[in-house]
Amino acid sequence: MKSLQISSFKEYKEKYAQSVENPEEFWSEIASQFRWHKKWDKVLDWDFSKPEIKWFEGAKLNITENCLDRHLEKLANKTAIIWEPNDPDEESRHITYRQLFVKVSHFANVLKNNGIKKGDKVCLYMPMIPELAIAMLACARIGAVHSIVFAGFSSKALASRINDSECKLLITANEVYRGKKPINLKAVCDEALKHAPSIKNVIVYRRTVEPTSMVEGRDTFWFDELQKVDKHCDAEIMDAEDLLFILYTSGSTGKPKGMVHTIGGYMVGSTYTFSNVFQYDKNDIYWCTADIGWITGHSYIIYGPLCAGATTVMFEGVPSYPDYGRFWEIVDKLKVTHFYTAPTAIRALARHPLSLVEKHDLSSLKVLGSVGEPINEEAWHWYNDNIGKTKCPIVDTWWQTETGAMMISPIAGITPTRPTFATLPLPGVQPVLIDEKGNEIPFENAPSEGRLAIKAPWPSIARTIYGNHQRYKDTYFSAFPNMYFTGDGAYRDATGNFRITGRVDDVVIVSGHNLGTAPIENAIDEHEAIVECAVVGFPHDIKGNALYAFVTTYDNIEQPEDELRQEINDLITKTVGAIAKLDKIQFVSGLPKTRSGKIMRRILRKIASNDTSNLGDISTLLNPDIVENIKKSAL
Ligand code: WTA
């Protein structure tokens, strides 16, 4: 939306100042540019001590009217989604705003016909095909809450997510194509549903012609369902603070957290940041390579771009198939102007011959983006030189599942960039650095480093953890009074630019995926030979971080270590998913523990990173001798 866009650095500064001094006025001006059935009674009501955050209370809307209906007047024939299949020989699909509107309304009636009502939870476990976008928007159309589970997760992970929010309906596909071989998604669902009794029906999209096993009375095909209903579906009128979706993200302890996002604030936040950060112009072709199963896909493949009337590309495949030039082939073919990806992909691609890049004409590109983890200097330059040909600003966007939208990021072409820096906070975002003692580090002390917290709410902040408000409070609002704690560390330079240094808790970002170490440890502990274990991250050239486990076994175990390693990784694949597989598994005689029995992961992290020159004070350990032993046999 052009009307939302900041057009100079001076204007950014003015808007930023307004957003801090008078947030209600600032956000109300922005929100006024969306379609509401009724405007809000109050822009913002908040209390971080509870915590309770409400934006646009009293307002009525439906987000799909903003993504679809609103565009029918001027953009009906504009392409909303370009779908690029896994196999380059299969045809792309171009879906206009009018077609998408019809498809969403039609499928919304399918949901209703399956007994889904406002407030019901629907789980989507689907490949990157337009039907995933259609299903999520159809949920939003009728006021149902979608919970999308990344289709790479195991059946156990799927079942636990379904159970946590008691989803009634599961939508999936028979198979998924990613790279060479198809994966049978439906079989994963069938396994999960043995342990997920809340699901009453399964709708299966037939992605391939392979025969699919269906359970009579429970499972039906997408196309058969469409035949039963008509194509018109009025949007359900929702409250701004009604739930839009639940999305699970890893925690440092316990099960994944179902982050709850509500409609009004999320819509305003995702669209405002999309329009500004990318400076999207009306004929641009925008491509975000994330999977919709993650927050990046929710906010910046679907909701933000569609609300802004953009053309958004959805890619089914992987960067390496049929070869490592696939991304660039697509950029060339579709004349992509905006390309948004993760540092791990950039590092993987940079390892392959430049001829794979040079074969393709990338001159359509205007803006490059990065998200998911800190981007290292080398990758930044490779991206800038070889993909952007030094002409395209790189927006290094820092944000989280919990924040719903970008928080710290350059505005393309407007904010001066600095390699490896996410630069400045976007309007409405008030970041602060906190020192070891819990005190705010004043800006005058710059350059400085500390833990990153946010002082005041922004519209797209998650409102709670589904079913566990106490955990929401403990995780985000208890470390520092009256602030949201991000779990990240950051460095701030003398001009106020932020560089995110990484997680400071037990979450590890592997290939841009946020993985909690606790569920992985639980998986390992299930092995009968294992007494206990600790999983930490260590730096890895391509993945950013990889996982390293320190494991103790029972004395009488005679199994060869490599066989045990294989079994441990198989267990992890089964319980968490292949993305959480360990790169290194070291068998040790004990783990370093504090006197209260807590594993000192700080020490293990250093050993795993091969950085043992300064392990800090280990005299407080229950078993200081063990450290030397572990060091000696480190992998
Ligand atoms: C990390 C992804 C450095 C960070 C949108 C954060 C980043 C976590 C960046 C959230 C960035 C994300 N620079 N680190 N530009 N973007 N991160 O919830 O540690 O999957 O807390 O959301 O990714 O990951 P999540």
Side-chain angles (χ1 to χ4, degrees), residues 276-311:
N276 267 298
V277 167
F278 292 114
Q279 294 282 301
Y280 180 87
D281 206 10
K282 60 179 188 304
N283 296 321
D284 289 342
I285 309 284
Y286 162 89
W287 179 19
C288 165
T289 69
D291 192 287
I292 292 178
W294 310 111
I295 191 68
T296 306
H298 282 61
S299 301
Y300 299 112
I301 297 179
I302 302 299
Y303 287 114
L306 293 180
C307 276
T311 298

mmCIF file of all heavy atoms in Angstrom, residues 276-311:
data_model
loop_
_atom_site.group_PDB
_atom_site.id
_atom_site.type_symbol
_atom_site.label_atom_id
_atom_site.label_comp_id
_atom_site.label_asym_id
_atom_site.label_seq_id
_atom_site.Cartn_x
_atom_site.Cartn_y
_atom_site.Cartn_z
ATOM 1 N N ASN A 276 6.426 -0.993 3.888
ATOM 2 C CA ASN A 276 7.547 -0.096 4.131
ATOM 3 C C ASN A 276 8.904 -0.716 3.896
ATOM 4 O O ASN A 276 9.711 -0.180 3.157
ATOM 5 C CB ASN A 276 7.468 0.466 5.546
ATOM 6 C CG ASN A 276 6.724 1.781 5.527
ATOM 7 O OD1 ASN A 276 7.171 2.741 4.891
ATOM 8 N ND2 ASN A 276 5.575 1.809 6.155
ATOM 9 N N VAL A 277 9.132 -1.838 4.519
ATOM 10 C CA VAL A 277 10.476 -2.415 4.464
ATOM 11 C C VAL A 277 10.861 -2.745 3.024
ATOM 12 O O VAL A 277 11.970 -2.469 2.587
ATOM 13 C CB VAL A 277 10.571 -3.652 5.378
ATOM 14 C CG1 VAL A 277 11.826 -4.445 5.108
ATOM 15 C CG2 VAL A 277 10.520 -3.203 6.835
ATOM 16 N N PHE A 278 9.924 -3.316 2.272
ATOM 17 C CA PHE A 278 10.254 -3.687 0.893
ATOM 18 C C PHE A 278 10.001 -2.559 -0.101
ATOM 19 O O PHE A 278 10.383 -2.657 -1.258
ATOM 20 C CB PHE A 278 9.471 -4.936 0.478
ATOM 21 C CG PHE A 278 9.906 -6.167 1.219
ATOM 22 C CD1 PHE A 278 9.056 -6.813 2.111
ATOM 23 C CD2 PHE A 278 11.183 -6.675 1.047
ATOM 24 C CE1 PHE A 278 9.466 -7.948 2.791
ATOM 25 C CE2 PHE A 278 11.607 -7.808 1.721
ATOM 26 C CZ PHE A 278 10.743 -8.445 2.598
ATOM 27 N N GLN A 279 9.284 -1.516 0.334
ATOM 28 C CA GLN A 279 8.931 -0.415 -0.590
ATOM 29 C C GLN A 279 8.311 -0.993 -1.858
ATOM 30 O O GLN A 279 8.709 -0.690 -2.988
ATOM 31 C CB GLN A 279 10.177 0.428 -0.912
ATOM 32 C CG GLN A 279 10.711 1.177 0.303
ATOM 33 C CD GLN A 279 9.886 2.422 0.618
ATOM 34 O OE1 GLN A 279 9.751 3.329 -0.199
ATOM 35 N NE2 GLN A 279 9.303 2.472 1.814
ATOM 36 N N TYR A 280 7.336 -1.852 -1.638
ATOM 37 C CA TYR A 280 6.696 -2.546 -2.760
ATOM 38 C C TYR A 280 5.958 -1.554 -3.659
ATOM 39 O O TYR A 280 5.203 -0.718 -3.186
ATOM 40 C CB TYR A 280 5.710 -3.598 -2.224
ATOM 41 C CG TYR A 280 5.016 -4.350 -3.332
ATOM 42 C CD1 TYR A 280 5.589 -5.483 -3.881
ATOM 43 C CD2 TYR A 280 3.805 -3.892 -3.860
ATOM 44 C CE1 TYR A 280 4.984 -6.157 -4.918
ATOM 45 C CE2 TYR A 280 3.185 -4.562 -4.902
ATOM 46 C CZ TYR A 280 3.784 -5.696 -5.425
ATOM 47 O OH TYR A 280 3.179 -6.358 -6.467
ATOM 48 N N ASP A 281 6.170 -1.672 -4.969
ATOM 49 C CA ASP A 281 5.516 -0.812 -5.941
ATOM 50 C C ASP A 281 4.558 -1.656 -6.777
ATOM 51 O O ASP A 281 4.762 -2.861 -6.921
ATOM 52 C CB ASP A 281 6.594 -0.175 -6.837
ATOM 53 C CG ASP A 281 6.105 1.142 -7.412
ATOM 54 O OD1 ASP A 281 5.046 1.632 -6.980
ATOM 55 O OD2 ASP A 281 6.785 1.668 -8.315
ATOM 56 N N LYS A 282 3.564 -1.038 -7.385
ATOM 57 C CA LYS A 282 2.420 -1.826 -7.878
ATOM 58 C C LYS A 282 2.706 -2.913 -8.910
ATOM 59 O O LYS A 282 2.015 -3.914 -8.949
ATOM 60 C CB LYS A 282 1.287 -0.921 -8.363
ATOM 61 C CG LYS A 282 1.620 0.018 -9.501
ATOM 62 C CD LYS A 282 0.349 0.803 -9.847
ATOM 63 C CE LYS A 282 0.491 1.629 -11.098
ATOM 64 N NZ LYS A 282 1.617 2.583 -11.104
ATOM 65 N N ASN A 283 3.741 -2.778 -9.707
ATOM 66 C CA ASN A 283 4.002 -3.845 -10.691
ATOM 67 C C ASN A 283 5.095 -4.818 -10.259
ATOM 68 O O ASN A 283 5.554 -5.641 -11.051
ATOM 69 C CB ASN A 283 4.369 -3.228 -12.038
ATOM 70 C CG ASN A 283 3.204 -2.433 -12.598
ATOM 71 O OD1 ASN A 283 2.053 -2.861 -12.471
ATOM 72 N ND2 ASN A 283 3.468 -1.262 -13.167
ATOM 73 N N ASP A 284 5.501 -4.714 -9.030
ATOM 74 C CA ASP A 284 6.599 -5.560 -8.564
ATOM 75 C C ASP A 284 6.166 -7.020 -8.377
ATOM 76 O O ASP A 284 4.994 -7.305 -8.107
ATOM 77 C CB ASP A 284 7.142 -5.024 -7.230
ATOM 78 C CG ASP A 284 7.898 -3.711 -7.411
ATOM 79 O OD1 ASP A 284 8.284 -3.406 -8.555
ATOM 80 O OD2 ASP A 284 8.096 -3.004 -6.403
ATOM 81 N N ILE A 285 7.137 -7.902 -8.518
ATOM 82 C CA ILE A 285 6.915 -9.335 -8.272
ATOM 83 C C ILE A 285 7.767 -9.697 -7.062
ATOM 84 O O ILE A 285 8.993 -9.661 -7.111
ATOM 85 C CB ILE A 285 7.378 -10.202 -9.468
ATOM 86 C CG1 ILE A 285 6.795 -9.715 -10.788
ATOM 87 C CG2 ILE A 285 7.068 -11.681 -9.207
ATOM 88 C CD1 ILE A 285 5.357 -10.046 -11.016
ATOM 89 N N TYR A 286 7.081 -10.043 -5.995
ATOM 90 C CA TYR A 286 7.741 -10.242 -4.709
ATOM 91 C C TYR A 286 7.821 -11.733 -4.393
ATOM 92 O O TYR A 286 6.835 -12.456 -4.531
ATOM 93 C CB TYR A 286 6.916 -9.495 -3.657
ATOM 94 C CG TYR A 286 7.186 -9.911 -2.250
ATOM 95 C CD1 TYR A 286 8.179 -9.301 -1.503
ATOM 96 C CD2 TYR A 286 6.431 -10.922 -1.659
ATOM 97 C CE1 TYR A 286 8.421 -9.714 -0.201
ATOM 98 C CE2 TYR A 286 6.669 -11.331 -0.361
ATOM 99 C CZ TYR A 286 7.664 -10.723 0.358
ATOM 100 O OH TYR A 286 7.908 -11.130 1.650
ATOM 101 N N TRP A 287 9.003 -12.169 -3.943
ATOM 102 C CA TRP A 287 9.158 -13.590 -3.618
ATOM 103 C C TRP A 287 9.861 -13.777 -2.274
ATOM 104 O O TRP A 287 11.009 -13.373 -2.097
ATOM 105 C CB TRP A 287 9.958 -14.303 -4.724
ATOM 106 C CG TRP A 287 10.183 -15.760 -4.464
ATOM 107 C CD1 TRP A 287 9.487 -16.568 -3.612
ATOM 108 C CD2 TRP A 287 11.180 -16.597 -5.061
ATOM 109 N NE1 TRP A 287 9.979 -17.853 -3.654
ATOM 110 C CE2 TRP A 287 11.020 -17.902 -4.533
ATOM 111 C CE3 TRP A 287 12.183 -16.371 -6.008
ATOM 112 C CZ2 TRP A 287 11.825 -18.962 -4.899
ATOM 113 C CZ3 TRP A 287 12.982 -17.446 -6.372
ATOM 114 C CH2 TRP A 287 12.801 -18.725 -5.830
ATOM 115 N N CYS A 288 9.155 -14.428 -1.384
ATOM 116 C CA CYS A 288 9.735 -14.840 -0.108
ATOM 117 C C CYS A 288 9.855 -16.356 -0.154
ATOM 118 O O CYS A 288 8.877 -17.057 -0.396
ATOM 119 C CB CYS A 288 8.820 -14.401 1.034
ATOM 120 S SG CYS A 288 9.171 -15.204 2.596
ATOM 121 N N THR A 289 11.061 -16.881 0.071
ATOM 122 C CA THR A 289 11.297 -18.323 -0.119
ATOM 123 C C THR A 289 10.949 -19.173 1.103
ATOM 124 O O THR A 289 11.133 -20.377 1.083
ATOM 125 C CB THR A 289 12.780 -18.598 -0.466
ATOM 126 O OG1 THR A 289 13.565 -18.319 0.704
ATOM 127 C CG2 THR A 289 13.268 -17.747 -1.620
ATOM 128 N N ALA A 290 10.454 -18.558 2.154
ATOM 129 C CA ALA A 290 10.146 -19.321 3.377
ATOM 130 C C ALA A 290 9.019 -20.318 3.125
ATOM 131 O O ALA A 290 8.343 -20.255 2.106
ATOM 132 C CB ALA A 290 9.738 -18.359 4.485
ATOM 133 N N ASP A 291 8.810 -21.199 4.068
ATOM 134 C CA ASP A 291 7.655 -22.083 4.024
ATOM 135 C C ASP A 291 6.542 -21.419 4.834
ATOM 136 O O ASP A 291 6.808 -20.788 5.864
ATOM 137 C CB ASP A 291 8.010 -23.442 4.635
ATOM 138 C CG ASP A 291 6.944 -24.485 4.352
ATOM 139 O OD1 ASP A 291 5.845 -24.420 4.964
ATOM 140 O OD2 ASP A 291 7.202 -25.366 3.513
ATOM 141 N N ILE A 292 5.312 -21.595 4.393
ATOM 142 C CA ILE A 292 4.190 -20.962 5.106
ATOM 143 C C ILE A 292 4.017 -21.564 6.499
ATOM 144 O O ILE A 292 3.396 -20.976 7.377
ATOM 145 C CB ILE A 292 2.906 -21.029 4.245
ATOM 146 C CG1 ILE A 292 3.100 -20.126 3.016
ATOM 147 C CG2 ILE A 292 1.662 -20.598 5.006
ATOM 148 C CD1 ILE A 292 1.948 -20.116 2.041
ATOM 149 N N GLY A 293 4.623 -22.717 6.726
ATOM 150 C CA GLY A 293 4.581 -23.327 8.054
ATOM 151 C C GLY A 293 5.323 -22.537 9.121
ATOM 152 O O GLY A 293 5.226 -22.847 10.305
ATOM 153 N N TRP A 294 6.080 -21.529 8.722
ATOM 154 C CA TRP A 294 6.764 -20.668 9.695
ATOM 155 C C TRP A 294 6.121 -19.282 9.665
ATOM 156 O O TRP A 294 5.420 -18.928 8.722
ATOM 157 C CB TRP A 294 8.257 -20.525 9.364
ATOM 158 C CG TRP A 294 8.950 -21.826 9.122
ATOM 159 C CD1 TRP A 294 9.428 -22.277 7.931
ATOM 160 C CD2 TRP A 294 9.248 -22.849 10.088
ATOM 161 N NE1 TRP A 294 10.002 -23.518 8.098
ATOM 162 C CE2 TRP A 294 9.910 -23.891 9.406
ATOM 163 C CE3 TRP A 294 9.026 -22.978 11.456
ATOM 164 C CZ2 TRP A 294 10.339 -25.055 10.046
ATOM 165 C CZ3 TRP A 294 9.460 -24.137 12.093
ATOM 166 C CH2 TRP A 294 10.108 -25.152 11.394
ATOM 167 N N ILE A 295 6.437 -18.471 10.658
ATOM 168 C CA ILE A 295 5.809 -17.137 10.737
ATOM 169 C C ILE A 295 6.155 -16.286 9.511
ATOM 170 O O ILE A 295 5.335 -15.491 9.049
ATOM 171 C CB ILE A 295 6.207 -16.402 12.047
ATOM 172 C CG1 ILE A 295 5.354 -15.145 12.259
ATOM 173 C CG2 ILE A 295 7.677 -16.020 12.053
ATOM 174 C CD1 ILE A 295 3.910 -15.369 12.542
ATOM 175 N N THR A 296 7.360 -16.447 8.965
ATOM 176 C CA THR A 296 7.743 -15.628 7.816
ATOM 177 C C THR A 296 6.766 -15.835 6.656
ATOM 178 O O THR A 296 6.374 -14.890 5.984
ATOM 179 C CB THR A 296 9.186 -15.958 7.386
ATOM 180 O OG1 THR A 296 10.026 -15.820 8.527
ATOM 181 C CG2 THR A 296 9.668 -15.017 6.305
ATOM 182 N N GLY A 297 6.366 -17.085 6.470
ATOM 183 C CA GLY A 297 5.400 -17.367 5.418
ATOM 184 C C GLY A 297 4.029 -16.788 5.725
ATOM 185 O O GLY A 297 3.350 -16.260 4.840
ATOM 186 N N HIS A 298 3.595 -16.878 6.977
ATOM 187 C CA HIS A 298 2.299 -16.310 7.348
ATOM 188 C C HIS A 298 2.271 -14.810 7.028
ATOM 189 O O HIS A 298 1.373 -14.313 6.369
ATOM 190 C CB HIS A 298 2.061 -16.449 8.856
ATOM 191 C CG HIS A 298 1.627 -17.809 9.320
ATOM 192 N ND1 HIS A 298 2.374 -18.943 9.158
ATOM 193 C CD2 HIS A 298 0.499 -18.209 9.973
ATOM 194 C CE1 HIS A 298 1.724 -19.983 9.701
ATOM 195 N NE2 HIS A 298 0.588 -19.557 10.197
ATOM 196 N N SER A 299 3.284 -14.103 7.548
ATOM 197 C CA SER A 299 3.236 -12.631 7.482
ATOM 198 C C SER A 299 3.684 -12.090 6.138
ATOM 199 O O SER A 299 3.169 -11.073 5.688
ATOM 200 C CB SER A 299 4.133 -12.026 8.570
ATOM 201 O OG SER A 299 3.713 -12.454 9.841
ATOM 202 N N TYR A 300 4.660 -12.769 5.507
ATOM 203 C CA TYR A 300 5.262 -12.152 4.317
ATOM 204 C C TYR A 300 5.182 -12.991 3.048
ATOM 205 O O TYR A 300 5.845 -12.676 2.063
ATOM 206 C CB TYR A 300 6.694 -11.716 4.633
ATOM 207 C CG TYR A 300 6.692 -10.688 5.752
ATOM 208 C CD1 TYR A 300 7.226 -10.982 6.996
ATOM 209 C CD2 TYR A 300 6.090 -9.434 5.564
ATOM 210 C CE1 TYR A 300 7.192 -10.060 8.033
ATOM 211 C CE2 TYR A 300 6.040 -8.507 6.594
ATOM 212 C CZ TYR A 300 6.589 -8.826 7.821
ATOM 213 O OH TYR A 300 6.535 -7.915 8.846
ATOM 214 N N ILE A 301 4.370 -14.076 3.061
ATOM 215 C CA ILE A 301 3.954 -14.645 1.775
ATOM 216 C C ILE A 301 2.461 -14.353 1.619
ATOM 217 O O ILE A 301 2.002 -14.030 0.541
ATOM 218 C CB ILE A 301 4.208 -16.170 1.689
ATOM 219 C CG1 ILE A 301 5.710 -16.466 1.782
ATOM 220 C CG2 ILE A 301 3.657 -16.729 0.370
ATOM 221 C CD1 ILE A 301 6.060 -17.949 1.740
ATOM 222 N N ILE A 302 1.734 -14.459 2.718
ATOM 223 C CA ILE A 302 0.279 -14.353 2.619
ATOM 224 C C ILE A 302 -0.261 -13.006 3.117
ATOM 225 O O ILE A 302 -0.586 -12.137 2.327
ATOM 226 C CB ILE A 302 -0.394 -15.536 3.360
ATOM 227 C CG1 ILE A 302 0.095 -16.865 2.756
ATOM 228 C CG2 ILE A 302 -1.914 -15.427 3.299
ATOM 229 C CD1 ILE A 302 -0.223 -17.059 1.287
ATOM 230 N N TYR A 303 -0.366 -12.838 4.428
ATOM 231 C CA TYR A 303 -1.181 -11.721 4.916
ATOM 232 C C TYR A 303 -0.659 -10.339 4.520
ATOM 233 O O TYR A 303 -1.417 -9.524 3.996
ATOM 234 C CB TYR A 303 -1.379 -11.829 6.430
ATOM 235 C CG TYR A 303 -2.345 -12.946 6.796
ATOM 236 C CD1 TYR A 303 -1.921 -14.074 7.490
ATOM 237 C CD2 TYR A 303 -3.678 -12.879 6.415
ATOM 238 C CE1 TYR A 303 -2.805 -15.099 7.813
ATOM 239 C CE2 TYR A 303 -4.572 -13.897 6.724
ATOM 240 C CZ TYR A 303 -4.129 -15.005 7.427
ATOM 241 O OH TYR A 303 -5.013 -16.012 7.731
ATOM 242 N N GLY A 304 0.626 -10.066 4.769
ATOM 243 C CA GLY A 304 1.146 -8.727 4.448
ATOM 244 C C GLY A 304 1.025 -8.411 2.964
ATOM 245 O O GLY A 304 0.390 -7.428 2.569
ATOM 246 N N PRO A 305 1.620 -9.246 2.093
ATOM 247 C CA PRO A 305 1.558 -8.974 0.656
ATOM 248 C C PRO A 305 0.128 -8.907 0.106
ATOM 249 O O PRO A 305 -0.188 -8.015 -0.685
ATOM 250 C CB PRO A 305 2.317 -10.150 0.032
ATOM 251 C CG PRO A 305 3.229 -10.639 1.104
ATOM 252 C CD PRO A 305 2.529 -10.376 2.398
ATOM 253 N N LEU A 306 -0.742 -9.824 0.529
ATOM 254 C CA LEU A 306 -2.095 -9.809 -0.046
ATOM 255 C C LEU A 306 -2.885 -8.595 0.438
ATOM 256 O O LEU A 306 -3.606 -7.967 -0.332
ATOM 257 C CB LEU A 306 -2.836 -11.112 0.259
ATOM 258 C CG LEU A 306 -2.256 -12.366 -0.418
ATOM 259 C CD1 LEU A 306 -3.066 -13.605 -0.043
ATOM 260 C CD2 LEU A 306 -2.181 -12.237 -1.941
ATOM 261 N N CYS A 307 -2.745 -8.236 1.703
ATOM 262 C CA CYS A 307 -3.417 -7.020 2.177
ATOM 263 C C CYS A 307 -2.923 -5.810 1.396
ATOM 264 O O CYS A 307 -3.664 -4.873 1.146
ATOM 265 C CB CYS A 307 -3.154 -6.781 3.662
ATOM 266 S SG CYS A 307 -4.260 -7.687 4.724
ATOM 267 N N ALA A 308 -1.644 -5.843 1.028
ATOM 268 C CA ALA A 308 -1.073 -4.698 0.312
ATOM 269 C C ALA A 308 -1.345 -4.775 -1.193
ATOM 270 O O ALA A 308 -0.904 -3.915 -1.948
ATOM 271 C CB ALA A 308 0.432 -4.629 0.573
ATOM 272 N N GLY A 309 -2.044 -5.809 -1.643
ATOM 273 C CA GLY A 309 -2.367 -5.920 -3.074
ATOM 274 C C GLY A 309 -1.172 -6.292 -3.934
ATOM 275 O O GLY A 309 -1.111 -5.941 -5.117
ATOM 276 N N ALA A 310 -0.232 -7.011 -3.367
ATOM 277 C CA ALA A 310 0.995 -7.357 -4.092
ATOM 278 C C ALA A 310 0.830 -8.664 -4.876
ATOM 279 O O ALA A 310 -0.123 -9.411 -4.678
ATOM 280 C CB ALA A 310 2.143 -7.502 -3.097
ATOM 281 N N THR A 311 1.790 -8.923 -5.757
ATOM 282 C CA THR A 311 1.909 -10.237 -6.391
ATOM 283 C C THR A 311 2.960 -11.013 -5.614
ATOM 284 O O THR A 311 4.113 -10.589 -5.527
ATOM 285 C CB THR A 311 2.362 -10.100 -7.859
ATOM 286 O OG1 THR A 311 1.354 -9.361 -8.560
ATOM 287 C CG2 THR A 311 2.529 -11.466 -8.509
#
